[in-house]
Amino acid sequence: MVRVGVLGAGGKMGSYVCKAVENDPDLLLVSAVDPAFDGQKATPTGDIVISKNLDTLIQSQTEVAVDFTYAQAARESLKWCAAHGINMVMGTTGFGDEELIEFNQLFQTAKSNCIIASNFAIGAVLMMNFAAQAARFMDGVEIVELHHQEKIDAPSGTSIATAFKIANSQDSTAISYEPQPSLPAFNSARGVEGPGTIRIHSVRLPGLVAHQEVIFGALGQTLTIRHDSYDRQSFMPGVLMAVKAVADRPGLTVGLDDLLGLPQAR
């Protein structure tokens, strides 16, 4: 049985992870950390009390720490877990390419491993891979990502990862098109340029959870690939899969593709 700790345990995602771990017969919730919820119970039915200190991970002999916090806190937690030999499953987004290189170097020498994913919903992972395949045959592409109003980072990590996969797919021909220079346009109305100069548009509204569509265009036709998470429970199967797999994945693993046996971006 894998001993699991949750960082950001009192937050929306963290509380779901605590319950999912508690209900999995192969996992044992042994610690929970969240300074904003210090002293509160991690789950309504369990005995674990949320702490404000990372040291509780050591005291409880945590084997895998799951992080759903915010970027700055996650950076420090990741370095701390690497230094203390605790495996990590990182669901926090907002990291740049240079930071991922740094994290990879960190876990090359650490006694623990790490899985970082921009999205733990299995359907979202499939959506990104389908988009990479479609990019070989379509002429143009743009991404629209829609999230709840409290999401801090924009564009989302999933949209950036999708653009990266499209840009690096074998023989990709899809690009984003600029407006005609003779027509006035607000630059922001065209979104931001992601990897491969693929344009990404972000929407933040109450009532949304996590949604993304990849819109392709070609002569006389369009193709839309869309994924919707209507409930945060959609992320839990991927999180639990990563928790169970991380000990056998040396170093840093980015994304769930390899765990699912999907082709990797080139």
Side-chain angles (χ1 to χ4, degrees), residues 163-172 195 264-266:
F164 176 83
K165 285 182 176 294
I166 292 172
N168 289 276
S169 62
Q170 186 176 13
D171 300 325
S172 174
Q264 299 291 305
R266 291 183 51 174

Side-chain angles (χ1 to χ4, degrees), residues 14-57:
S15 59
Y16 271 93
V17 174
C18 288
K19 294 174 186 176
V21 170
E22 186 178 67
N23 292 328
D24 192 298
D26 298 323
L27 305 176
L28 181 64
L29 181 66
V30 297
S31 59
V33 178
D34 194 326
F37 295 86
D38 184 33
Q40 299 184 30
K41 293 183 66 174
T43 62
T45 58
D47 298 324
I48 301 300
V49 176
I50 299 175
S51 169
K52 62 181 178 181
N53 298 314
L54 287 173
D55 288 341
T56 191
L57 299 179

Side-chain angles (χ1 to χ4, degrees), residues 8-261:
K12 292 180 179 179
M13 279 297 297
S15 59
Y16 271 93
V17 174
C18 288
K19 294 174 186 176
V21 170
E22 186 178 67
N23 292 328
D24 192 298
D26 298 323
L27 305 176
L28 181 64
L29 181 66
V30 297
S31 59
V33 178
D34 194 326
F37 295 86
D38 184 33
Q40 299 184 30
K41 293 183 66 174
T43 62
T45 58
D47 298 324
I48 301 300
V49 176
I50 299 175
S51 169
K52 62 181 178 181
N53 298 314
L54 287 173
D55 288 341
T56 191
L57 299 179
I58 298 175
Q59 296 163 3
S60 61
Q61 298 180 320
T62 298
E63 296 173 294
V64 180
V66 182
D67 189 300
F68 278 96
T69 56
Y70 57 92
Q72 185 54 46
R75 291 183 186 98
E76 300 305 318
S77 299
L78 187 145
K79 295 175 183 177
W80 188 93
C81 285
H84 290 84
I86 298 174
N87 295 314
M88 285 209 79
V89 172
M90 178 64 70
T92 303
T93 58
F95 304 120
D97 291 340
E98 292 183 0
E99 288 182 298
L100 291 178
I101 293 173
E102 177 187 348
F103 298 158
N104 182 57
Q105 294 172 342
L106 184 64
F107 281 97
Q108 289 294 332
T109 57
K111 294 182 179 180
S112 55
N113 308 324
C114 181
I115 294 176
I116 295 180
S118 59
N119 198 315
F120 283 91
I122 305 302
V125 179
L126 293 173
M127 174 264 297
M128 288 187 274
N129 275 269
F130 296 158
Q133 295 180 49
R136 298 170 52 198
F137 306 101
M138 303 297 282
D139 299 327
V141 61
E142 298 203 4
I143 299 170
V144 182
E145 56 95 351
L146 311 91
H147 285 80
H148 56 89
Q149 77 280 14
E150 296 176 354
K151 183 173 178 60
I152 298 173
D153 55 320
S156 68
T158 300
S159 64
I160 294 172
T162 304
F164 176 83
K165 285 182 176 294
I166 292 172
N168 289 276
S169 62
Q170 186 176 13
D171 300 325
S172 174
T173 59
I175 61 173
S176 287
Y177 287 87
E178 295 295 332
Q180 294 295 322
S182 59
L183 298 176
F186 295 105
N187 289 334
S188 59
R190 294 291 296 125
V192 297
E193 287 189 355
T197 69
I198 295 170
R199 292 197 170 271
I200 303 172
H201 307 264
S202 298
V203 177
R204 299 289 178 264
L205 287 173
L208 298 172
V209 177
H211 317 262
Q212 179 173 291
E213 55 184 28
V214 187
I215 307 172
F216 291 95
L219 184 63
Q221 61 182 313
T222 61
L223 168 66
T224 299
I225 302 173
R226 180 175 175 120
H227 176 262
D228 297 278
S229 284
Y230 300 107
D231 191 291
R232 289 176 176 83
Q233 290 184 6
S234 65
F235 306 114
M236 294 306 106
V239 171
L240 300 181
M241 178 177 63
V243 168
K244 296 173 184 179
V246 65
D248 299 321
R249 300 278 169 174
L252 175 67
T253 299
V254 179
L256 302 183
D257 303 67
D258 192 45
L259 278 68
L260 294 171

